[in-house]
Amino acid sequence: MRNYFLNLGCVMLALSSMSAYAEVLGKDGIPAAIIDQLYKKHPNALDISAEQKKHFGQDLYEVFFKEKEGDSKQVELYRPDGRFYINGAMTETSKTSNVMPSAGYDSLNAAFKNYDIKEMVLVTNPNGLGEEYDLTVNASGVDWSVSIDRTGNIYFKEQK
């Protein structure tokens, strides 16, 4: 019985320590250093939101915004201390596009029976070769945050 409670306690600690990277943060939830840098580059930024992500081994904030009403969304990635990392590129979301390697689509087909890609962001490595993909996938009415590496492997998948 003691082992049961010990194991249950360990599981609870492990679950509570997991980071919630798929959580969409409003402007108030984004670190002030990032907001300051964003407004220096884009003084008229509107509809600001962000998600915590991990790309190329670094913790980053993927910041979405518009320059003015009616514009399309733009994406920039920042380090937690506010330093700019790289621009993200909103890309085509069609399952037949060649933006992502075919192995990425194969991985999505294996992970989700029936899905639609609602949003895809291409993140290139500013320090060398490589790219990764952040997707918002809808499968059976549930939205998922999915990250895929350049070889097409899913390395992050969490329900939004």
Side-chain angles (χ1 to χ4, degrees):
M1 188 67 160
R2 189 182 96 203
N3 286 340
Y4 172 76
F5 287 117
L6 181 62
N7 289 338
L8 181 64
C10 289
V11 168
M12 295 302 288
L13 283 173
L15 288 175
S16 66
S17 68
M18 288 183 189
S19 49
Y21 278 108
E23 180 183 356
V24 176
L25 304 172
K27 183 179 169 186
D28 295 337
I30 302 170
I34 293 174
I35 294 294
D36 291 345
Q37 289 301 314
L38 180 69
Y39 278 135
K40 283 180 185 175
K41 290 178 70 176
H42 309 282
N44 299 321
L46 303 169
D47 300 333
I48 301 169
S49 64
E51 288 186 52
Q52 287 182 283
K53 298 289 183 168
K54 189 171 203 97
H55 284 290
F56 309 106
Q58 296 188 42
D59 289 326
L60 301 167
Y61 283 83
E62 194 171 73
V63 180
F64 298 89
F65 64 96
K66 295 180 181 183
E67 284 285 343
K68 58 184 174 185
E69 205 62 46
D71 278 356
S72 60
K73 261 200 259 190
Q74 295 184 42
V75 184
E76 291 184 350
L77 286 91
Y78 290 86
R79 293 179 176 94
D81 64 3
R83 291 184 302 142
F84 176 76
Y85 186 71
I86 196 163
N87 287 321
M90 301 292 287
T91 62
E92 183 183 346
T93 60
S94 167
K95 291 182 190 178
T96 59
S97 78
N98 60 357
V99 172
M100 191 168 52
S102 60
Y105 293 106
D106 294 342
S107 294
L108 286 172
N109 286 327
F112 304 103
K113 297 267 186 235
N114 187 15
Y115 69 92
D116 289 315
I117 301 171
K118 293 173 63 176
E119 188 174 77
M120 185 185 308
V121 176
L122 169 65
V123 179
T124 56
N125 188 344
N127 300 318
L129 294 176
E131 58 233 354
E132 295 180 343
Y133 307 87
D134 278 333
L135 295 87
T136 300
V137 174
N138 183 285
S140 302
V142 177
D143 285 343
W144 293 84
S145 180
V146 179
S147 295
I148 297 177
D149 65 18
R150 66 182 172 153
T151 60
N153 297 316
I154 294 175
Y155 67 89
F156 177 81
K157 178 176 93 171
E158 185 173 87
Q159 187 173 341
K160 282 190 163 191

